[in-house]
Amino acid sequence: MAVDDAAGAGAAALLYLAAAGVGMLVVTDARAVAPEDVGLLYEVADVGRPRAAAAAERLAALNPDARVTAGGDAAHRVAPIAAVSDADALARGAAAAGAIIREIAGA
């Protein structure tokens, strides 16, 4: 599963996916972790780091059996084809991530 936004609902979706045991996660968000991102997926020490890299570390710690990959393009915030080519699905933006959360939660 590839998620193209590792903030807000995207961060929540990534946590749910890792906790649910999804075996492959691709995180694509080259933006830096902002102070307002701290809490759900990120810690204070992550502020200023690329979201994809910080999220990948947290998700790998949560689900050591998952293959977690960080990717993205800083200029366009898009997933490189190589990063998501093995993914079964790609969620782009908060609306798609929200749909994933509702599906996992059975809502």
Side-chain angles (χ1 to χ4, degrees), residues 68-101:
V68 183
T69 304
D73 179 282
H76 303 354
R77 243 191 78 243
V78 296
I81 298 300
V84 299
S85 62
D86 292 332
D88 292 326
L90 170 65
R92 298 200 68 161
I100 292 167
I101 294 168

Side-chain angles (χ1 to χ4, degrees), residues 1-20 25-29 31-34 36-43 46 51-52 54-56 58-60 62 68 77 91-101 104:
M1 179 71 195
V3 177
D4 186 40
D5 185 348
L14 286 164
L15 282 173
Y16 279 114
L17 290 165
L25 294 169
V26 179
V27 184
T28 58
D29 191 335
R31 297 173 294 169
V33 174
E36 58 269 17
D37 295 328
V38 172
L40 185 61
L41 180 59
Y42 305 105
E43 297 179 2
D46 294 321
R51 284 183 182 152
R58 303 271 179 243
L59 297 168
L62 178 63
V68 183
R77 243 191 78 243
R92 298 200 68 161
I100 292 167
I101 294 168
I104 291 171

